[in-house]
Amino acid sequence: MWAELLPVGRGSASGGYRRYAWTAADGECRAWFEEQAKARALDYEVDRNGNQWAWLGDPAAGDAVVTGSHLDSVPDGGAFDGPLGVVSAFAALDELRGRGARFTRPLGIVNFGDEEGARFGLACVGSRLTAGTLTPDQAHRLTDGDGVTLPRAMEAAGYDPDALGPDPERLARIGAFVELHVEQGRALDLSGDRIGVASAIRPHGRWRFDFRGEANHAGTTRLADRRDPMLPYAETVLAARREAALAGAVATFGKIAVEPNGVNAVPSLVRGWLDSRAVDQESLDSVVGAVESAAREYAAAHGVDLDVVRESFTPVVEFDHVLRDELARILGTDTGLTVPVLGTGAGHDAGILSGSIPTAMLFVRNPTGVSHSPAEFAAEDDCVAGVRALADVLEGLACKEPARG
Ligand SMILES: [Zn+2]
């Protein structure tokens, strides 16, 4: 399965993947999913939002156990983010059939559409529409960099954009959703574990810092006469790093705009964007609060005005504790694995669905810790351990009794 997917949408120059929603590369991945479902005699369907499903047993019976992830990618993404969860889902089913497992609950495998949001700028479109947190109107207005709207893109790929909308009946049939994903950090590498269970998705947000001073000649303006916004900005970048380190959080100024942006001019405006994420709301508030008050002090010292605007915010997502503990119990008792419970700073479909149904995530070790880059990696042994862990979890949740002796 891995070898079949590997060449799809891969750039020859970067070695990274460009599998954007509703493009030809995405279509190839989706055709692959349909083939895998049919090769296993699963019931295949596409829901109103373009998400693909493969069923063993009748989902109408309810209380289904679903696993899966996404097949699309960020620009020049790695091979594992998304596809590892879908390939592992099919492989875990094969493993369970090999064990002679007897299913007592319907089992579903899903590929959520447009998870990364690389084309239309909004992540998790397929799961947000299904959960009803994105309205069809909002989805219809999404437009890519070439001016193509989401409805036109879906039509071109052979789907009906008028069907988009919430799918509460579908969600009501699902008793548990478990997403396996490559870890997007080094916690497992550092702890020496192959597999982890997610506890929560950390709260995160973006803040815009506008430092306004006075444009002037870089050669003739005495240092003492300047109101240079670059100086408090630079000090604020360092403060963000310091405050994040103190709080065990992360804070990044990764984007900046300067006016007039001339090499021989003292700037009039420096606009920097802060992205920060922390274990909980309290530490996030305290990091951003400390960065902001430091920035105000530095700005005042340089005669510069400062405005801070919060541009986006996503609160903490706590995964279902009962399901999380059940996963840790199944993996702990059945395999003797130590299963660390980890928080993550990245968003996922499982996080979106956690508001509607019990969800959980399994992480597979990524020794580079790198994600959203061709350098993202997981060793074959660890991927196999991930498949076994997922199979154990599905067996524990969806089968009458363990078939293994
Ligand atoms: Zn992902």
Side-chain angles (χ1 to χ4, degrees), residues 178 197 323-331 360 362 393 397:
V178 180
V197 175
L323 187 58
R324 181 197 70 193
D325 294 347
E326 178 76 356
L327 257 59
R329 188 193 61 74
I330 292 168
L331 295 175
L362 287 176
V393 163
L397 294 175

Side-chain angles (χ1 to χ4, degrees), residues 312-349:
S312 75
F313 179 72
T314 309
V316 66
V317 172
E318 280 278 339
F319 288 110
D320 187 85
H321 287 196
V322 175
L323 187 58
R324 181 197 70 193
D325 294 347
E326 178 76 356
L327 257 59
R329 188 193 61 74
I330 292 168
L331 295 175
T333 40
D334 292 5
T335 65
L337 277 173
T338 44
V339 187
V341 175
L342 311 171
T344 174
H348 299 284
D349 293 311

Side-chain angles (χ1 to χ4, degrees), residues 248-327:
V250 290
T252 309
F253 277 96
K255 181 177 168 183
I256 181 175
V258 179
E259 287 175 18
N261 210 22
V263 71
N264 57 355
V266 174
S268 56
L269 168 74
V270 173
R271 173 171 287 161
W273 281 265
L274 172 70
D275 174 305
S276 187
R277 306 161 192 232
V279 283
D280 55 33
Q281 179 80 52
E282 205 185 349
S283 36
L284 182 60
D285 288 347
S286 105
V287 168
V288 176
V291 174
E292 183 175 342
S293 66
R296 293 202 182 283
E297 231 171 82
Y298 302 139
H302 292 282
V304 166
D305 296 326
L306 172 65
D307 284 315
V308 179
V309 179
R310 190 175 83 177
E311 289 196 332
S312 75
F313 179 72
T314 309
V316 66
V317 172
E318 280 278 339
F319 288 110
D320 187 85
H321 287 196
V322 175
L323 187 58
R324 181 197 70 193
D325 294 347
E326 178 76 356
L327 257 59

Side-chain angles (χ1 to χ4, degrees), residues 69-70 81-82 115-116 179 181 184 348:
S69 190
H70 62 95
D81 180 351
E115 194 273 349
E116 297 287 7
E179 179 171 1
H181 204 280
Q184 295 168 292
H348 299 284

Side-chain angles (χ1 to χ4, degrees), residues 81-367:
D81 180 351
L84 185 63
V86 180
V87 168
S88 297
F90 285 117
L93 172 60
D94 296 345
E95 163 80 10
L96 287 176
R97 281 175 161 167
R99 291 179 190 175
R102 292 183 298 144
F103 289 88
T104 55
R105 297 165 74 175
L107 180 72
I109 296 176
V110 64
N111 167 34
F112 282 109
D114 199 3
E115 194 273 349
E116 297 287 7
R119 184 169 178 191
F120 298 102
L122 179 70
C124 302
V125 169
S127 57
R128 281 182 206 270
L129 279 163
T130 299
T133 55
L134 175 71
T135 67
D137 275 2
Q138 290 168 326
H140 281 186
R141 285 198 296 272
L142 293 173
T143 306
D144 73 8
D146 297 325
V148 179
T149 63
L150 176 69
R152 294 294 83 77
M154 285 190 78
E155 253 168 16
Y159 298 89
D160 175 16
D162 293 332
L164 297 180
D167 211 343
E169 296 85 7
R170 178 173 295 276
L171 290 178
R173 293 170 169 184
I174 302 173
F177 174 58
V178 180
E179 179 171 1
L180 177 145
H181 204 280
V182 68
E183 196 198 350
Q184 295 168 292
R186 289 190 58 220
L188 292 173
D189 187 50
L190 293 170
S191 69
D193 296 292
R194 294 176 186 273
I195 309 295
V197 175
S199 58
I201 297 178
R202 295 178 195 127
H204 60 274
R206 293 174 184 176
W207 290 262
R208 197 184 76 221
F209 284 60
D210 286 352
F211 295 88
R212 286 176 203 279
E214 185 179 49
N216 217 327
H217 196 292
T220 58
T221 317
R222 294 190 324 141
L223 293 180
D225 293 340
R226 296 181 182 197
R227 292 174 53 218
D228 181 352
M230 189 63 83
L231 300 171
Y233 170 71
E235 291 175 297
T236 303
V237 173
L238 299 176
R241 170 66 182 230
R242 194 171 58 237
E243 294 301 334
L246 282 172
V250 290
T252 309
F253 277 96
K255 181 177 168 183
I256 181 175
V258 179
E259 287 175 18
N261 210 22
V263 71
N264 57 355
V266 174
S268 56
L269 168 74
V270 173
R271 173 171 287 161
W273 281 265
L274 172 70
D275 174 305
S276 187
R277 306 161 192 232
V279 283
D280 55 33
Q281 179 80 52
E282 205 185 349
S283 36
L284 182 60
D285 288 347
S286 105
V287 168
V288 176
V291 174
E292 183 175 342
S293 66
R296 293 202 182 283
E297 231 171 82
Y298 302 139
H302 292 282
V304 166
D305 296 326
L306 172 65
D307 284 315
V308 179
V309 179
R310 190 175 83 177
E311 289 196 332
S312 75
F313 179 72
T314 309
V316 66
V317 172
E318 280 278 339
F319 288 110
D320 187 85
H321 287 196
V322 175
L323 187 58
R324 181 197 70 193
D325 294 347
E326 178 76 356
L327 257 59
R329 188 193 61 74
I330 292 168
L331 295 175
T333 40
D334 292 5
T335 65
L337 277 173
T338 44
V339 187
V341 175
L342 311 171
T344 174
H348 299 284
D349 293 311
I352 301 294
L353 296 182
S354 68
S356 312
I357 53 176
T359 62
M361 289 190 77
L362 287 176
F363 292 128
V364 173
R365 175 164 61 185
N366 171 1

